[in-house]
Amino acid sequence: LLVLQQSADALELWQHRLREHESQKLATLPPGAAIMDLMFELNSEQGTTLVLVTHDRQQAERCERRLAIGAGCLRELARGDQG
């Protein structure tokens, strides 16, 4: 029950922060960029785990840890490594 309450609280926080960001940033940023900014911001503030699956190298570079899948293998990428 505690886990469900924490999840509900986290969802409420995300919804509140998204509404804040919509009014502040969506006028100047593409909607996807504003949402990505919010996700990274909450990840940093709340100490949550963010799993991002993308082909966008700029977004991937924002992550603390990056993994690549190729030839059936999973490997960790160093900063600046293009994969």
Side-chain angles (χ1 to χ4, degrees):
L1 185 58
L2 178 60
V3 172
L4 291 176
Q5 181 59 48
Q6 289 173 336
S7 296
D9 291 346
L11 179 59
E12 192 173 313
L13 174 65
W14 275 79
Q15 290 171 337
H16 173 74
R17 295 292 293 276
L18 183 57
R19 283 191 296 273
E20 279 182 0
H21 266 59
E22 284 175 347
S23 62
Q24 295 171 3
K25 287 192 171 185
L26 289 183
T28 58
L29 290 175
I35 291 170
M36 290 303 297
D37 285 350
L38 174 61
M39 288 174 38
F40 278 101
E41 185 177 312
L42 288 173
N43 169 252
S44 176
E45 288 177 6
Q46 300 295 314
T48 59
T49 299
L50 172 63
V51 178
L52 174 67
V53 179
T54 184
H55 292 278
D56 184 329
R57 292 180 198 265
Q58 278 187 309
Q59 294 299 337
E61 282 294 327
R62 296 175 71 179
C63 299
E64 290 179 27
R65 184 175 182 204
R66 298 182 313 129
L67 304 171
I69 299 173
C73 297
L74 181 67
R75 65 186 176 90
E76 189 156 6
L77 298 175
R79 283 275 175 216
D81 188 349
Q82 296 299 313

